[in-house]
């Protein structure tokens, strides 16, 4: 580990939107998203005797996260009267699927509605050796990366832990992935084997909720996805980076995208607050780096902006000493985007320079392009639809 200057800890103004655990309908407390301790405490507060609460919490946990059960009445190892009490006090609520689109390549894009009528998008990407679920951490984003369509939308709010893990649960419902009666959780190949926090939002600006949700995803008595199969992508919220290793322990990806501060300021404006050098110092000090766990550097390929040979060479210079993999993302265009995708030969040449310098440099195959499900396009279709409805209303005076 390299010694670094202390990083100034700026107040995280974005972490301000705490949502109560109560559901809007019945006022019942939602158990989904509570940590194991939180679940135990909630049961005690509702009258479960303290010495039973640990065991009850364990049973309920397994019903919810191992079996995918949503009704207290189905929790057959609990006494009937107790189930009725739970039913009166608690809820097991997950987001609601508003629409689902399936791409020609098998990618599925879900639009999910959460409390307050907000919507987030979730993408499932099946591949030969894995199935990756790309989930959202915020509705919109406070940051304004100029190549990202989510960045053109304002932050509406942070998702709760229940809404974050709820996206995984609902995708498991749709894929019919919960174990069937009599079946062990390892009996069928996993459909969702990996989770990436690469949907809408900046996960490190919603740290606690993301952490609690990922702890649930990793818990061995439930969804049980290994920490090595969960990747959190950040645009570079430097003061929160170390916490990611310490408190979540998942893999880290960083939206790097440029090799000079001048260009990165334009592409990823958070660079004006924490520039390339500050970010790299934080990555060098990243606790997992000492165990040689690789950090993924994401690099979006924008024609004539950041895709020269010189950029590729500068990139490998910059990251020297950091165990890394560089994921090249061909730019996914969206209507009105101010950039175009680099030519394929350019991307390959860029990849080659990085590879020859000793780094893995996979080019991310765009998936689900026909349904606008690719990186950085999320929510766009919905927003567009909404905008055009609003425009219609403005033009006609009729509210659609
Ligand atoms: N907010 C986080 C995670 C969500 S974005 C972050 O910025 O890291 C997931 C990845 O997609 C990021 O690397 C992001 O920079 C990239 N991305 C955003 N818009 C894109 C686009 N239009 N084409 C390709 N990649 C894009
Ligand atoms: Fe937000 Fe990430 Fe998009 Fe930047 S790239 S605007 S941080 S979602």
């Amino acid at each position: 580990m390299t010694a670094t200057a202390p990083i100034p800890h700026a107040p995280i103004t974005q972490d301000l939107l705490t949502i109560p655990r109560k559901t809007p309908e019945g006022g019942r407390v939602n158990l989904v998203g509570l940590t194991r301790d939180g679940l135990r405490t909630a049961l005690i507060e509702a009258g479960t005797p303290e010495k039973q609460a640990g065991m009850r919490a364990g049973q309920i946990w397994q019903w919810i996260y191992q079996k995918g059960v949503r009704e207290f009445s189905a929790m057959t190892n609990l006494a009937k009267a107790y189930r009725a009490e739970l039913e009166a006090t608690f809820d097991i609520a997950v987001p609601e699927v508003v629409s689902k689109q399936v791409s020609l390549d098998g990618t599925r894009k879900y639009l999910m509605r959460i409390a307050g009528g907000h919507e987030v998008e979730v993408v499932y990407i099946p591949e030969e050796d894995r199935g990756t679920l790309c989930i959202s951490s915020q509705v919109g984003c406070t940051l304004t990366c100029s190549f990202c369509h989510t960045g053109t939308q304002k932050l509406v709010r942070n998702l709760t832990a229940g809404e974050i893990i709820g996206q995984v649960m609902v995708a498991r419902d749709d894929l019919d992935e919960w174990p069937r009666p009599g079946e062990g959780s390892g009996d069928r190949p996993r459909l969702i084997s990996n989770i990436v926090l690469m949907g809408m939002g900046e996960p490190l600006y919603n740290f606690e909720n993301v952490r609690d949700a990922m702890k649930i995803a990793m818990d061995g008595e439930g969804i049980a996805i290994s920490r090595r199969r969960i990747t959190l992508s950040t645009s570079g919220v430097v003061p929160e980076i170390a916490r990611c290793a310490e408190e979540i322990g998942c893999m880290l990806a960083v939206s790097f995208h440029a090799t000079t501060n001048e260009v990165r300021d334009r592409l990823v404006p958070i660079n004006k607050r924490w520039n390339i050098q500050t970010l790299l110092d934080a990555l060098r000090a990243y606790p997992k780096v000492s165990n040689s766990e690789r950090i993924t550097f994401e690099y979006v390929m924008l024609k004539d902006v950041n895709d020269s040979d010189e950029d590729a060479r500068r990139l490998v210079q910059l990251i020297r000493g950091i165990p890394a993999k560089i994921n090249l993302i061909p730019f996914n265009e969206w209507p009105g985007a101010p950039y175009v995708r680099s030519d394929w030969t350019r991307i390959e040449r860029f990849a080659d320079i990085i590879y020859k310098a000793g780094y893995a440099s996979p080019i991310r195959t765009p998936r689900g392009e026909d349904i606008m499900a690719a990186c950085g396009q999320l929510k766009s279709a919905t927003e567009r639809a909404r905008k055009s409805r609003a425009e219609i209303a403005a033009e006609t005076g009729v509210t659609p």
Side-chain angles (χ1 to χ4, degrees), residues 109-392:
K109 181 169 81 168
Y110 307 96
L111 181 63
M112 296 190 191
R113 185 176 298 137
I114 56 170
H118 305 299
E119 288 159 355
V120 288
E121 286 189 347
V122 180
V123 178
Y124 174 68
I125 306 148
E127 287 173 278
E128 247 165 54
D129 59 338
R130 70 181 72 184
T132 304
L133 193 71
C134 176
I135 60 173
S136 295
S137 56
Q138 300 182 310
V139 185
C141 189
T142 45
L143 302 173
T144 51
C145 303
S146 52
F147 54 89
C148 171
H149 201 262
T150 309
T152 65
Q153 301 160 215
K154 286 212 169 71
L155 174 74
V156 179
R157 73 165 168 85
N158 280 339
L159 267 58
T160 62
E163 289 163 346
I164 298 169
I165 192 65
Q167 296 169 54
V168 181
M169 295 163 74
V170 170
R172 287 195 115 200
D173 292 349
D174 184 61
L175 295 163
D176 189 20
E177 205 187 2
W178 298 105
R180 296 173 189 139
E183 198 177 58
S185 49
D187 288 0
R188 271 183 292 150
R190 284 214 163 222
L191 295 172
I192 300 175
S193 60
N194 293 56
I195 295 176
V196 294
L197 282 144
M198 293 187 187
M200 296 161 61
E202 169 48 62
L204 294 187
Y205 274 148
N206 187 13
F207 188 87
E208 280 80 12
N209 289 321
V210 166
R211 176 197 58 204
D212 290 354
M214 291 307 100
K215 288 277 182 204
I216 296 173
M218 290 180 226
D219 191 293
E221 278 182 31
I223 299 167
I225 294 181
S226 136
R227 64 170 194 88
R228 287 175 166 274
R229 290 180 170 271
I230 299 178
T231 303
L232 182 151
S233 172
T234 179
S235 58
V237 183
V238 163
E240 301 293 304
I241 283 181
R243 280 181 89 192
C244 182
E246 284 153 8
E247 297 182 35
I248 309 178
C250 63
M251 306 305 283
L252 182 70
V254 177
S255 294
F256 207 64
H257 302 324
T259 61
T260 65
N261 282 317
E262 191 249 318
V263 176
R264 196 162 190 269
D265 279 352
R266 273 193 284 136
L267 299 181
V268 190
I270 201 175
N271 195 67
K272 292 183 198 152
R273 190 146 174 203
W274 297 293
N275 69 14
I276 290 181
Q277 285 64 37
T278 315
L279 175 59
L280 289 170
D281 283 347
L283 298 178
R284 288 208 168 82
Y286 190 64
K288 298 279 174 195
V289 162
S290 53
N291 302 330
S292 296
E293 256 180 35
R294 286 192 301 178
I295 292 174
T296 300
F297 284 74
E298 295 164 284
Y299 198 96
V300 62
M301 298 300 295
L302 305 170
K303 191 180 172 111
D304 299 331
V305 174
N306 64 355
D307 63 351
S308 67
D309 286 358
E310 205 189 342
D311 277 307
R313 285 193 282 266
R314 220 170 7 232
L315 181 58
V316 292
Q317 290 287 334
L318 283 169
I319 66 170
R320 188 141 290 162
I322 303 177
K325 157 175 121 177
I326 294 148
N327 208 330
L328 299 176
I329 318 175
F331 175 55
N332 295 307
E333 296 177 13
W334 36 272
Y339 304 104
V340 290
R341 179 182 291 180
S342 305
D343 297 333
W344 200 252
T345 47
R346 181 94 295 274
I347 300 178
E348 282 182 335
R349 166 93 187 127
F350 196 97
D352 199 46
I353 293 174
I354 294 166
Y355 182 74
K356 289 203 171 109
Y359 293 96
S361 55
I363 302 171
R364 194 183 290 172
T365 322
R367 297 290 302 263
E369 284 189 299
D370 52 332
I371 55 169
M372 290 277 283
C375 268
Q377 294 183 328
L378 296 189
K379 190 77 193 286
S380 50
T382 327
E383 280 293 306
R384 261 205 334 244
R386 191 171 294 140
K387 256 184 220 145
S388 54
R389 280 203 295 272
E391 279 158 18
I392 294 164

